[in-house]
Amino acid sequence: MTPCIAFKKIWNDDDLIELTVTVCNGNSMFSNNIYADVNALTQLIKDLSIFRNHIYGGLYDIKLGEFGVEYANGGFQARLHFHSQGKLLISTYQQTEFEEFPKTQVASEAKMYLSTEPVLLDNFITDLKILNSGSSDEAILVCA
């Protein structure tokens, strides 16, 4: 299993986009579906295009979907942190949609830790642009 973070478009309309987010650290893999504002990818592309130049200790937080029993589908968060020697460290947190379980409602959750290179972030930004244009249904951030 190649370590990566992948966004796959399920569907979209005028207001929302539904994505499957898959995170793999090389040993474990976790996927969940999230709903995001239709403009979320455009904003993410803009923000990452700025962040990519902050290689000396820059921090950026991605948040897509929502966490909690009150919301449909799940949530995805990632903290991107440029570390010394040009490495981009990534910590992720995902939560699925809540479902009935005897006497309660539960959601599966995962935290994973990955690292990647600035050039691979550039490739991911390009993939996101292609995904956002509708020419592709998937964008992948390859990790090391």
Side-chain angles (χ1 to χ4, degrees), residues 1-10 18-34 62 64 75-78 90 92-96 110-114 124 131 137-143:
M1 294 190 296
T2 302
C4 69
I5 298 172
F7 293 171
K8 184 174 182 180
K9 181 168 58 171
I10 304 302
E18 182 178 17
L19 300 170
T20 296
V21 180
T22 302
V23 176
C24 175
N25 67 6
N27 295 313
S28 300
M29 183 184 303
F30 190 87
S31 293
N32 67 321
N33 291 347
I34 60 99
I62 299 171
L64 297 169
F76 170 77
Q77 289 182 338
I90 305 166
T92 66
Y93 171 56
Q94 294 169 268
Q95 182 181 76
T96 63
K111 291 182 180 182
M112 292 201 201
Y113 304 92
L114 306 105
F124 181 58
L131 172 68
D137 287 337
E138 192 167 42
I140 299 173
L141 174 58
V142 177
C143 298

Side-chain angles (χ1 to χ4, degrees), residues 71-143:
Y71 300 101
N73 269 348
F76 170 77
Q77 289 182 338
R79 169 156 280 191
L80 285 66
H81 177 210
F82 277 112
H83 195 263
S84 62
Q85 294 129 8
K87 288 282 187 190
L88 178 58
L89 304 180
I90 305 166
S91 58
T92 66
Y93 171 56
Q94 294 169 268
Q95 182 181 76
T96 63
E97 182 171 31
F98 278 77
E99 59 185 319
E100 292 295 324
F101 198 72
K103 298 184 182 184
T104 189
Q105 288 189 328
V106 297
S108 296
E109 299 178 333
K111 291 182 180 182
M112 292 201 201
Y113 304 92
L114 306 105
S115 65
T116 192
E117 304 288 334
V119 69
L120 297 174
L121 177 62
D122 291 343
N123 294 345
F124 181 58
I125 294 168
T126 300
D127 281 358
L128 284 172
K129 289 176 182 176
I130 295 168
L131 172 68
N132 199 34
S133 74
S135 297
S136 173
D137 287 337
E138 192 167 42
I140 299 173
L141 174 58
V142 177
C143 298

